[in-house]
Amino acid sequence: MHNLRVEVTMEVWKYPAVSTENAGYEGEFLTTHKTTRRQAFTLGSIAVGIGIFVGELTSNLHSAWKSPVDTLGNWIISVIPHYVESFAIKLFRTHDKGFLVATILFVALILGGLAGDLLFRGKKEIAYAIVLLETIFNVFTVLARPHAGVTAIVPSLISGLAITLVLYFSLGRTKVKQPEINSPTELKSRRQVLKFAGGAGVLGGLMLLSGQTVKTHSLNVIKRLAIKLPDATHSLPPLPADPASTIRGLSPLITPNNDFYQIDTAINAPIIDVETWSLTINGMVKNPITLTYADLLKRPLFELDDTMTCVSNPVGGNLVGNARWLGCRLDDLIREAGPLSSADQILSSSSDGFGAGFPLNLLDGRDAMIAVGMNGQPLPIRHGFPARVIVPGLYGYVSATKWLTNIELTRFDLKQGFWISRGWSQLGPIKMESRIDFPIDGASIPAGKLRFAGVAWAPLSGIASVQLGIDGAWKNATLGPALSGTTWRQWWFDWDTTVGSHLVQVRAVSVSGQVQTQTIADTAPNGASGWHSINISV
Ligand SMILES: Nc1nc2c(c(=O)[nH]1)N[C@H]1C(S)=C(S)[C@@H](COP(=O)(O)O)O[C@H]1N2
Ligand SMILES: [Mo]
């Protein structure tokens, strides 16, 4: 290293083209000295910004290398109490992670600013200690991940190193000592070349990293786009006409993929390479099975209309959607694996460390599937590409693992899904619910005819009727098509308005004769209940 430096310097000596203007040197010397405290803070933040950027880019180079920001975020999600998490979900809905990432970046940039300030004030040890602690903490969160190998920390280390280097070269030498070389000209030239070489190196490196990232990601995305899903062996009749096409404000019968709610703990949806992906079924089984994506598509596929909802969906909320899924039967696969009599749980997990488990005996003939298709498309990346679990009648948190990589037969007293230790119920059957889509709460309506509209669901039996209560007088609504016992049904009700303000409530009755409970329950621990009510004025 030392030799290299000398050589560079020698080269410069032989290179008269580099500016040797004395005044220039003076100027630079002065500006370096004149770095204000504010600039130091900014430079510190920039150093951290660059470090984070480098870390994130590096993490894309190797599948074992984990993104520092993602892992920190995941770690925070995994340690915050469940009520904070559900509060965050309520507050930010599906954008809660954007907020989390923004907070992480904000705190990191502030810490960087502090380090810059400390360097400015000559407290170098403390400044670098902050960066070191940040890095160690990040390494810790990476290693705390389930199944994380030691190499997973590489991006965090590189990120820490990048921050240190940028800090050092931008601020670490502000208090310039007496130049060791007599001639300012030499120093200036040597510096310029070093700066240029360093700058070019950093820029080149960043471009290389970005290129690699874009390449792997876009390749995986392109591979998904190139997939042609086979036809189902058991397909459903074409969808009936959708009443929502003529009824104002009504949810469509099938939720378009782009509008389908998204809930997961992943900071960024994993972009999986479908060619190297595989699914393993193991644990308490006689014959562990490994399937590639091609293997999965070769199995008999069936179509399933199923409404999925999140346990965190409040009464009247929109964390619910209806899709036509394509996949293979889960019960067949489990039968082939041959569960041991000791197993009582099917615990699926994902490439990003999420896990969801439900009782083995719920494979009671219901159409549980490993889904590869959603509304005629390969699963969208954010909805679990290349494969996910769908179990009719269960909330997503106990069943619907996206980016599925493993299904383990195990026991509830040995292992549990991600949300169970965080205070959510071990069992998660979807509760019967109904919702008023139109008009919205607080709306003021012109006098005349008004058509109320909404959706209702009651897995597994299905919706038999929906009743609308206007100021306490209950009437039956008209129902839309029934796709299956586990899909929602649209409803609407025409009303000749009366002037004034009105309380409007909705409740459903299931095919099995159950009336939707009025008892109000919070989302935690096992799903919200109660009648959706709105106030409107005419
Ligand atoms: N890998 C993974 N799968 C997951 C989750 C997750 O956090 N990670 N969340 C589950 C929860 S809580 C729900 S409600 C559904 C949501 O599926 P969606 O985002 O496709 O609507 O996915 C489930 N599958
Ligand atoms: Mo959920």
Side-chain angles (χ1 to χ4, degrees):
M1 206 49 191
H2 186 77
N3 283 338
L4 188 73
R5 252 179 89 104
V6 171
E7 266 169 37
V8 170
T9 319
M10 305 276 284
E11 276 302 309
V12 174
W13 278 345
K14 286 188 259 163
Y15 213 82
V18 176
S19 162
T20 53
E21 214 183 313
N22 214 337
Y25 172 70
E26 289 288 341
E28 187 184 350
F29 190 71
L30 284 176
T31 27
T32 318
H33 253 289
K34 272 197 288 188
T35 306
T36 63
R37 208 167 161 182
R38 186 182 294 178
Q39 283 169 344
F41 193 91
T42 312
L43 280 172
S45 297
I46 291 176
V48 166
I50 294 178
I52 291 175
F53 186 57
V54 171
E56 293 310 301
L57 289 179
T58 322
S59 69
N60 290 298
L61 293 182
H62 194 285
S63 60
W65 295 359
K66 295 298 174 200
S67 144
V69 176
D70 274 21
T71 34
L72 187 56
N74 275 317
W75 181 80
I76 293 174
I77 291 173
S78 72
V79 294
I80 52 175
H82 74 89
Y83 50 84
V84 180
E85 164 79 1
S86 53
F87 169 75
I89 289 177
K90 273 191 198 125
L91 203 56
F92 309 108
R93 287 294 160 89
T94 55
H95 301 299
D96 55 340
K97 279 163 309 194
F99 176 77
L100 180 62
V101 170
T103 313
I104 291 174
L105 292 183
F106 182 73
V107 172
L109 294 184
I110 294 290
L111 282 175
L114 286 180
D117 187 59
L118 286 162
L119 280 178
F120 175 81
R121 292 188 287 139
K123 306 203 165 147
K124 299 197 175 188
E125 294 78 9
I126 310 183
Y128 292 122
I130 288 185
V131 179
L132 186 68
L133 285 179
E134 248 186 315
T135 310
I136 291 176
F137 180 61
N138 202 230
V139 164
F140 159 77
T141 61
V142 174
L143 291 176
R145 278 174 72 105
H147 326 295
V150 182
T151 53
I153 65 174
V154 168
S156 303
L157 294 181
I158 291 183
S159 171
L161 186 69
I163 296 173
T164 313
L165 287 178
V166 178
L167 277 180
Y168 176 74
F169 284 110
S170 63
L171 287 164
R173 305 170 310 158
T174 21
K175 296 269 166 342
V176 179
K177 294 155 239 115
Q178 273 309 304
E180 330 87 78
I181 302 169
N182 293 338
S183 157
T185 311
E186 284 160 20
L187 189 64
K188 155 91 180 176
S189 332
R190 192 180 65 174
R191 264 200 193 179
Q192 272 197 341
V193 168
L194 280 179
K195 263 193 185 166
F196 179 76
V202 168
L203 203 70
L206 286 181
M207 280 166 65
L208 209 73
L209 285 171
S210 321
Q212 274 297 338
T213 305
V214 172
K215 200 173 113 196
T216 24
H217 277 188
S218 42
L219 261 182
N220 292 348
V221 170
I222 288 167
K223 284 180 192 170
R224 174 181 170 277
L225 290 176
I227 291 168
K228 168 99 179 61
L229 289 176
D231 289 334
T233 337
H234 304 281
S235 50
L236 292 171
L239 288 162
D242 185 352
S245 59
T246 52
I247 297 177
R248 182 173 176 198
L250 175 61
S251 298
L253 181 56
I254 294 285
T255 314
N257 289 353
N258 284 334
D259 299 341
F260 209 96
Y261 80 94
Q262 180 187 6
I263 287 285
D264 50 63
T265 61
I267 307 291
N268 287 309
I271 305 180
I272 292 176
D273 180 353
V274 70
E275 280 174 15
T276 55
W277 175 86
S278 68
L279 166 65
T280 316
I281 301 172
N282 58 11
M284 298 176 171
V285 294
K286 296 181 201 96
N287 326 299
I289 299 176
T290 300
L291 294 160
T292 64
Y293 190 67
D295 294 337
L296 214 52
L297 296 193
K298 269 185 229 133
R299 296 182 68 87
L301 300 179
F302 71 105
E303 285 181 320
L304 168 73
D305 289 335
D306 184 54
T307 294
M308 194 171 58
T309 174
C310 180
V311 68
S312 297
N313 189 40
V315 172
N318 54 14
L319 300 179
V320 53
N322 189 36
R324 178 163 282 191
W325 309 91
L326 176 75
C328 67
R329 291 198 71 87
L330 181 59
D331 50 10
D332 283 351
L333 269 172
I334 300 293
R335 203 170 302 123
E336 287 165 34
L340 303 180
S341 57
S342 48
D344 66 7
Q345 182 187 203
I346 299 182
L347 181 63
S348 54
S349 54
S350 65
S351 66
D352 67 320
F354 175 82
F358 65 91
L360 174 59
N361 62 22
L362 287 190
L363 291 187
D364 49 8
R366 72 180 75 194
D367 291 331
M369 65 157 54
I370 304 212
V372 290
M374 181 178 185
N375 296 329
Q377 303 289 320
L379 278 183
I381 287 168
R382 56 193 207 103
H383 293 298
F385 178 78
R388 76 178 304 173
V389 178
I390 296 288
V391 183
L394 297 186
Y395 286 121
Y397 81 107
V398 288
S399 63
T401 301
K402 306 190 273 188
W403 314 294
L404 177 69
T405 51
N406 181 246
I407 296 178
E408 181 182 349
L409 273 287
T410 179
R411 301 181 53 87
F412 278 105
D413 57 9
L414 294 178
K415 271 191 174 182
Q416 303 207 311
F418 182 87
W419 286 112
I420 311 309
S421 61
R422 293 169 176 88
W424 296 84
S425 168
Q426 184 170 285
L427 300 178
I430 295 178
K431 293 182 182 176
M432 183 194 315
E433 263 302 328
S434 53
R435 183 178 81 191
I436 304 168
D437 290 343
F438 186 86
I440 59 165
D441 189 24
S444 47
I445 310 293
K449 288 205 181 299
L450 172 65
R451 176 168 277 186
F452 292 94
V455 283
W457 57 96
L460 307 169
S461 81
I463 291 288
S465 63
V466 171
Q467 298 163 354
L468 200 67
I470 303 174
D471 301 320
W474 293 89
K475 298 267 171 48
N476 276 331
T478 311
L479 293 180
L483 294 178
S484 78
T486 61
T487 54
W488 65 22
R489 271 185 95 167
Q490 297 151 307
W491 60 263
W492 56 94
F493 181 78
D494 291 321
W495 184 52
D496 291 317
T497 58
T498 55
V499 175
S501 55
H502 305 281
L503 171 71
V504 184
Q505 294 167 293
V506 66
R507 70 183 180 206
V509 181
S510 72
V511 171
S512 55
Q514 208 191 334
V515 181
Q516 183 189 331
T517 179
Q518 187 179 7
T519 311
I520 293 173
D522 195 7
T523 51
N526 65 356
S529 71
W531 295 341
H532 186 207
S533 312
I534 61 167
N535 287 289
I536 59 165
S537 59
V538 176

